[in-house]
Amino acid sequence: VMSSVPPSADQVHVRQLLLYNEDVAKNYYNQLQAGADFDELAAQIDPVTRGDIGWFPRGYITEKAVEDAAFSLEVGAYSAIVPGEVGYHIIKLLDRQSERELSPDALSVMQIRALNDWLATQRQQSSIVLAP
């Protein structure tokens, strides 16, 4: 099952503004709408990573809403505020490539997901009878 996961997939390269307060997120979104530079704001919020999430395929990150937003954008565009489990995200799509090779971590995550999906299907299709 795990070997059936392809080594490459459609992937996006994303930068984010991750904020922990909705009002602060609205303030940053308004700054973007007024012409502020996304990359400069990302560097202010997170000077270490500058908001760079990196490359990822569908099914890799745990925030489904962030994934959906990232895959719906055109290169260079940014999203509206995306509420998530860890905060409020504003996503900018830096690049997109079809059939980009998966990182070792992404491949491992995708293989584990494939195995878990297969196990769930097997359990649903199974009928277990315990003998008295």
Side-chain angles (χ1 to χ4, degrees):
V1 172
M2 293 172 75
S3 65
S4 69
V5 173
S8 61
D10 185 25
Q11 295 185 61
V12 291
H13 183 194
V14 172
R15 177 167 285 145
Q16 73 173 345
L17 305 181
L18 175 57
L19 306 147
Y20 302 101
N21 176 294
E22 185 175 14
D23 291 333
V24 174
K26 287 178 182 177
N27 181 351
Y28 276 93
Y29 186 75
N30 290 338
Q31 289 181 54
L32 288 170
Q33 293 290 90
D37 183 81
F38 191 101
D39 298 338
E40 288 178 14
L41 293 177
Q44 289 173 10
I45 294 167
D46 184 354
V48 174
T49 67
R50 300 169 124 23
D52 194 346
I53 296 176
W55 288 93
F56 61 87
R58 281 197 178 276
Y60 177 69
I61 62 172
T62 58
E63 293 270 9
K64 179 80 168 110
V66 170
E67 176 184 282
D68 290 343
F71 277 89
S72 71
L73 294 170
E74 296 292 325
V75 172
Y78 61 86
S79 71
I81 297 169
V82 180
E85 293 178 25
V86 297
Y88 299 87
H89 308 261
I90 303 172
I91 307 300
K92 179 181 178 183
L93 182 61
L94 301 176
D95 199 1
R96 182 180 195 148
Q97 291 181 8
S98 60
E99 299 308 313
R100 180 181 172 85
E101 185 176 343
L102 295 170
S103 69
D105 184 62
L107 180 59
S108 176
V109 167
M110 302 306 285
Q111 288 173 332
I112 290 167
R113 284 219 171 120
L115 178 60
N116 288 336
D117 291 346
W118 180 82
L119 287 170
T121 300
Q122 296 306 307
R123 285 185 185 114
Q124 287 177 343
Q125 295 173 351
S126 298
S127 176
I128 299 172
V129 178
L130 299 176

